[in-house]
Amino acid sequence: MKVLFDFDDVIFDTKAFKDFFFTTLERRGYTNVRQAYEEYRKKPAPFSLRTFIMQVTYDSSEENVETLYEEVMSKCGQFVNRKVLDIIVSLGRESSYIVTHGDSQFQMDKIRLSIGKHLVHTIVTVPGSKAEIIKDICKAHPDEEIIF
């Protein structure tokens, strides 16, 4: 059996994480952060926290953006759904996959800093629909039950 987990809103409490990074930016004096997020999300490109920070802070300084990014990302471990994490651990690495949508670097950073990469067999990040990669995993394991 292979179990495919979505990362956002399944393993990771994305809503609480967003509230955290909104508050972090607002405490630093940046205004209209939530409104800027809503506007940013209207774009077809996957969400990138680094790009969003650059837009909100009007800062092109790589060092300043990276410092704020690291501050926010350092708290990723606080947003893990422990019940789902327990399921992943009980299933074992060979049975657990993550299939997630979004900016590849941002998604991989969230995974690495929250649960690590070692708990799952494969992590796949797609910029669009997950349908094709799920079909590919099913084809690769025709004799196994696949749960998503």
Side-chain angles (χ1 to χ4, degrees), residues 2-96:
K2 304 294 182 197
V3 181
L4 315 178
F5 294 90
D6 194 350
F7 186 72
D8 290 314
D9 300 318
V10 175
I11 297 171
F12 191 75
D13 187 344
T14 306
K15 182 184 180 318
F17 178 72
K18 280 192 286 190
D19 288 341
F20 168 72
F21 79 69
F22 292 157
T23 302
T24 300
L25 290 167
E26 290 164 348
R27 273 187 292 174
R28 287 182 168 237
Y30 299 107
T31 58
N32 301 319
V33 174
R34 294 165 201 269
Q35 180 182 351
Y37 176 80
E38 294 303 320
E39 288 299 313
Y40 184 99
R41 295 301 293 171
K42 290 178 183 177
K43 298 176 184 179
F47 180 77
S48 164
L49 183 58
R50 276 189 181 95
T51 303
F52 180 71
I53 290 170
M54 281 189 281
Q55 287 182 0
V56 169
T57 64
Y58 303 104
D59 195 340
S60 60
S61 163
E62 189 173 317
E63 183 178 321
N64 292 340
V65 170
E66 196 60 28
T67 298
L68 186 50
Y69 181 80
E70 289 176 8
E71 177 185 338
V72 171
M73 296 301 287
S74 70
K75 304 298 183 190
C76 282
Q78 297 175 9
F79 302 100
V80 174
N81 181 330
R82 298 291 172 196
K83 290 180 182 179
V84 176
L85 185 59
D86 289 347
I87 292 169
I88 292 170
V89 170
S90 70
L91 287 169
R93 184 179 192 282
E94 291 302 313
S95 296
S96 302

Side-chain angles (χ1 to χ4, degrees), residues 119-138:
L119 294 178
V120 297
H121 183 273
T122 302
I123 300 168
V124 181
T125 302
V126 295
S129 172
K130 300 172 200 154
E132 286 304 313
I133 193 65
I134 292 170
K135 287 178 189 176
D136 290 345
I137 293 170
C138 290

